[in-house]
Amino acid sequence: MVAQHGDVLVVGAGVMGLTTAVCLAEAGVPVRVQAGESPQDTTSAVAGAMIAGPVTDDPQDDESRWLRATLREFTDLAADPRTGVRIARGRTVSRDEDTTPGWARQMADFAECDEAERAGYPMGFWMSSPVVDMPRYLQYLAGRLEIAGGVVQLGAVESLEAAAATAPLVVNCTGVGAQRLTGDPQLKPVRGQHVVVENPGLTEFFYERTKAAEITSFIPHLKRLVLGGTIGPGDWSLEPDPAQTEAILRRCIAIEPRIAGAPVLSVEVGLRPARPQARLEEETLGDARVIHNYGHGGAGIGMSWGCAREIEQMVTQAVRR
């Protein structure tokens, strides 16, 4: 497909950008994606990607609504092994909470953990949830976009003004890059580091809910096991920290001894785009309209389909005017 001046331009090729572009293309909207890095080089590609559930129990809360919608989409995608999505059972624990959140009881296969299963945490429960092998999933999304007639173009977008000069409707899905493009003072990077090891045969995930600097988690993706993790607000460094690597391994082995001795395949770092609240809103820029879709923190994958479907409605309404 050759890009035309009337196309919708999606800026950013991570999970938010690709999912949004897929929704638009499959709705019949001419769409192109432009990004300074390929999908496999984005923060999305290094995520552990377990869909944890709604942020709050309030069904009217935007982020919880987007998470619920995304959970439904991923549950359907898990039926197709080509997507890299599957349903896994595992434990969710927290050092910050001593009671189970209400939303958890709505998750499939919910059960309270007993004391041993909580592994020293004051709160823990079992549930089944989609887990997403992100390198495979991003490849799936890119292929789905191509089938629908969309195109991905590599090349940095220098400004939203420059993007708006080439398309009457721009969707800004640039993650932490939105700080440069918008000057948004509320958007901050939150550095995360994962260690990927050869899976010693684990099928269940372990996921810690916390705002502390260190997280203990392991998410199995067939032959890979993604171990987490760290939370580094304001840290722009993409260099792996060997001390953090050792600490991640030590914490995960303490929970699951079978991880000890598993060959390390890679150490991966990404910058979560954190904001007090995700920004999904429209503004006018010259003669163009811009829809911002960024600031989802560590829950971008979990909100991706909910946000994309909402943008699909906004864009198709605009295109049909």
Side-chain angles (χ1 to χ4, degrees):
M1 169 179 146
V2 178
Q4 301 295 324
H5 186 76
D7 292 350
V8 173
L9 173 62
V10 176
V11 184
V15 70
M16 278 294 177
L18 288 182
T19 308
T20 300
V22 165
C23 288
L24 294 175
E26 291 182 346
V29 178
V31 60
R32 56 193 171 98
V33 177
Q34 185 171 346
E37 54 189 3
S38 71
Q40 299 297 338
D41 293 324
T42 63
T43 293
S44 300
V46 302
M50 190 277 291
I51 311 304
V55 176
T56 73
D57 295 322
D58 179 2
Q60 301 305 313
D61 175 81
D62 284 342
E63 295 188 354
S64 292
R65 179 166 51 82
W66 296 329
L67 276 158
R68 287 187 173 92
T70 302
L71 181 61
R72 291 192 293 269
E73 296 264 5
F74 275 125
T75 299
D76 291 341
L77 288 171
D80 184 349
R82 297 173 300 175
T83 65
V85 182
R86 66 184 184 88
I87 304 296
R89 186 170 184 262
R91 289 171 286 171
T92 297
V93 300
S94 177
R95 74 183 82 174
D96 304 332
E97 306 165 273
D98 55 13
T99 58
T100 301
W103 62 259
R105 301 180 187 278
Q106 308 302 316
M107 300 295 288
D109 302 320
F110 169 82
E112 297 281 5
C113 289
D114 61 30
E115 184 176 356
E117 292 168 340
R118 291 201 305 270
Y121 290 86
M123 188 279 289
F125 58 90
W126 290 93
M127 69 176 186
S128 292
S129 182
V131 296
V132 188
D133 185 339
M134 288 307 297
R136 289 177 60 202
Y137 179 63
L138 291 170
Q139 186 176 27
Y140 161 79
L141 284 179
R144 186 166 160 178
L145 176 61
E146 182 179 6
I147 290 170
V151 63
V152 177
Q153 301 170 331
L154 289 183
V157 173
E158 297 303 325
S159 68
L160 289 177
E161 289 79 5
T166 69
L169 212 164
V170 177
V171 187
N172 174 22
C173 300
T174 52
V176 293
Q179 189 187 81
R180 177 180 64 83
L181 290 177
T182 68
D184 186 344
Q186 297 187 79
L187 181 64
K188 307 292 183 184
V190 176
R191 181 185 179 277
Q193 180 166 315
H194 287 153
V195 180
V196 182
V197 301
E198 188 175 299
N199 190 352
L202 304 183
T203 58
E204 297 175 338
F205 63 80
F206 184 92
Y207 177 77
E208 180 183 2
R209 287 164 51 92
T210 183
K211 296 180 180 179
E214 296 182 338
I215 308 169
T216 302
S217 65
F218 45 86
I219 314 293
H221 297 296
L222 301 180
K223 295 183 179 181
R224 301 186 310 132
L225 187 68
V226 180
L227 313 180
T230 63
I231 298 178
D235 188 346
W236 286 93
S237 174
L238 289 171
E239 290 298 316
D241 183 328
Q244 290 182 352
T245 297
E246 293 302 317
I248 290 169
L249 287 166
R250 185 169 58 250
R251 293 197 303 273
C252 291
I253 290 168
I255 300 294
E256 177 48 77
R258 283 180 288 176
I259 296 173
V264 174
L265 303 178
S266 62
V267 178
E268 300 176 334
V269 177
L271 303 178
R272 308 174 184 98
R275 199 172 182 273
Q277 186 172 16
R279 186 183 185 193
L280 202 170
E281 63 182 9
E282 183 177 324
E283 69 173 344
T284 301
L285 189 61
D287 294 330
R289 306 172 72 179
V290 177
I291 298 174
H292 297 285
N293 182 29
Y294 66 83
H296 304 83
I301 296 162
M303 297 186 201
S304 57
W305 284 101
C307 291
R309 293 297 184 196
E310 192 157 312
I311 291 169
E312 176 191 340
Q313 293 182 356
M314 296 167 68
V315 171
T316 53
Q317 289 170 2
V319 168
R320 290 166 183 163
R321 287 175 184 171

